[in-house]
């Protein structure tokens, strides 16, 4: 039986190191899969798909939170039960109430029958408890999806407010692009790129740091010359 950990970041403000630390605090021998990916669905997450392929019956997958597994409610709930049916344990450090061990208890800890007329009521109670456990799992993924949608809406409203106040949104036409905080960007490249001290690919670092392809490779070339 193997314990795996999955860590994912979608912006440079997030800390993948914190996620990894939390997972290793749960199991110091966990095999970590990590990546930078901004989408809400599993499709496109290469490292996560590798992990799903590697995990077998009896293994455990640890997530810092349910949002790291999926921010699409329908897909997340479906994947949860798909992995559960395969005998794979799921652990969510921030939402332990939906760990598969908790759900399993809801299935197994049924109220015992009495061989009396009361059993008709007890059967209904047991079904209700199982339904309630399933609903808690669904709600957790729905909340994760809601957080993404709320963030998008706040960003959209912020841009519209700025536009109404006459502020420039984006780069003015004909204006030369000035890259600020290049030093910090280079630090992040060294920190996250697998060509230096990190484990992420060029595309993943570009998304994480928020650099265009040309600027990224320009900085990378300068770093190689400096180092």
């Amino acid at each position: 039986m193997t314990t795996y950990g999955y860590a994912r970041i979608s912006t440079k403000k997030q800390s993948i190191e914190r996620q990894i630390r939390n997972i290793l605090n749960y199991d110091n021998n966990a095999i970590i899969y990590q990546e930078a990916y901004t989408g809400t669905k599993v499709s496109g997450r290469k490292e996560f798909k590798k992990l799903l392929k590697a995990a077998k019956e009896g293994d455990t997958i640890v997530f810092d939170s349910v949002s790291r597994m999926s921010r699409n409610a329908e897909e997340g709930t479906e994947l949860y039960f798909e992995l559960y049916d395969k005998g794979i344990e799921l652990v969510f450090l921030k939402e332990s109430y939906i760990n598969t061990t908790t759900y399993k208890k809801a299935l197994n800890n049924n109220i015992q029958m009495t061989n009396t007329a009361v059993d008709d009521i007890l059967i209904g109670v047991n079904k209700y408890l199982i339904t309630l456990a399933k609903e808690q799992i669904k709600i957790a993924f729905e909340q994760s999806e809601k957080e993404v949608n709320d963030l998008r809406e706040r960003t959209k409203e912020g841009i519209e407010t700025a536009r109404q106040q006459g502020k420039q949104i984006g780069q003015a036409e004909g204006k030369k692009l000035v890259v600020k905080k290049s030093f910090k960007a280079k630090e992040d490249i060294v920190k996250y790129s697998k060509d230096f001290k990190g484990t992420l690919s060029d595309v993943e670092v570009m998304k994480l740091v928020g650099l265009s392809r040309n600027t990224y490779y320009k900085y990378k070339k300068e770093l190689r010359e400096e180092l």
Side-chain angles (χ1 to χ4, degrees):
M1 295 184 290
T2 304
T3 298
Y4 297 97
Y6 179 70
R8 177 177 64 85
I9 50 178
S10 53
T11 71
K12 62 181 179 180
K13 292 181 180 180
Q14 295 174 319
S15 171
I16 204 165
E17 287 82 4
R18 176 189 56 77
Q19 294 180 44
I20 294 173
R21 182 174 64 252
N22 291 343
I23 293 170
L24 292 178
N25 283 340
Y26 177 85
D27 188 333
N28 191 50
N29 295 316
I31 299 172
I32 305 294
Y33 285 74
Q34 58 179 297
E35 62 188 331
Y37 186 75
T38 58
T40 60
K41 295 187 176 183
V42 172
S43 176
R45 285 196 264 161
K46 295 181 180 179
E47 292 303 310
F48 189 42
K49 293 174 80 172
K50 289 179 184 177
L51 168 55
L52 294 179
K53 187 175 181 180
K56 308 298 181 185
E57 182 179 357
D59 291 342
T60 299
I61 302 177
V62 184
F63 302 88
D64 186 54
S65 70
V66 67
S67 65
R68 299 306 87 196
M69 177 174 169
S70 178
R71 282 191 159 183
N72 178 280
E74 182 178 353
E75 182 182 57
T77 304
E78 181 179 338
L79 180 59
Y80 179 102
F81 288 108
E82 179 182 323
L83 294 173
Y84 176 83
D85 290 339
K86 289 181 179 179
I88 297 172
E89 297 289 345
L90 300 177
V91 174
F92 303 93
L93 300 179
K94 290 183 179 178
E95 301 94 358
S96 58
Y97 62 91
I98 66 164
N99 289 352
T100 49
T101 53
T102 303
Y103 177 66
K104 194 178 296 182
K105 288 179 181 178
L107 296 182
N108 296 333
N109 292 353
N110 290 337
I111 300 174
Q112 297 300 313
M113 298 296 103
T114 62
N115 293 321
T116 67
V118 178
D119 286 354
D120 289 337
I121 299 175
L122 296 181
I123 290 173
V125 171
N126 285 332
K127 287 182 178 180
Y128 169 74
L129 293 175
I130 293 172
T131 300
L132 184 62
K134 287 184 177 180
E135 189 64 20
Q136 288 298 312
I137 294 166
K138 182 181 178 182
I139 290 173
F141 283 102
E142 287 176 342
Q143 180 61 33
S144 179
E145 181 175 325
K146 182 177 182 299
E147 289 173 359
V148 175
N149 294 334
D150 287 349
L151 177 60
R152 288 173 177 168
E153 187 61 29
R154 288 195 299 270
T155 301
K156 181 180 178 181
E157 291 174 353
I159 292 173
E160 182 59 30
T161 299
R163 181 178 287 109
Q164 291 179 6
Q165 293 174 348
K167 296 181 180 179
Q168 174 65 43
I169 306 300
Q171 184 182 350
E173 185 177 354
K175 185 176 180 180
K176 185 178 180 180
L177 177 64
V178 178
V179 180
K180 298 180 180 180
K181 300 182 180 179
S182 60
F183 181 76
K184 177 63 169 61
K186 288 182 178 180
E187 278 189 334
D188 287 339
I189 292 173
V190 172
K191 183 177 181 181
Y192 295 114
S193 173
K194 64 182 179 182
D195 293 330
F196 297 98
K197 298 180 180 180
T199 60
L200 302 181
S201 68
D202 288 337
V203 173
E204 290 172 330
V205 178
M206 278 183 234
K207 290 181 179 179
L208 175 63
V209 182
L211 295 175
S212 68
R213 180 181 179 86
N214 289 341
T215 302
Y216 173 77
Y217 282 109
K218 174 187 174 184
Y219 285 171
K220 193 172 180 181
K221 180 181 179 181
E222 291 174 357
L223 283 167
R224 283 174 173 159
E225 293 173 351
E226 293 169 3
L227 298 176

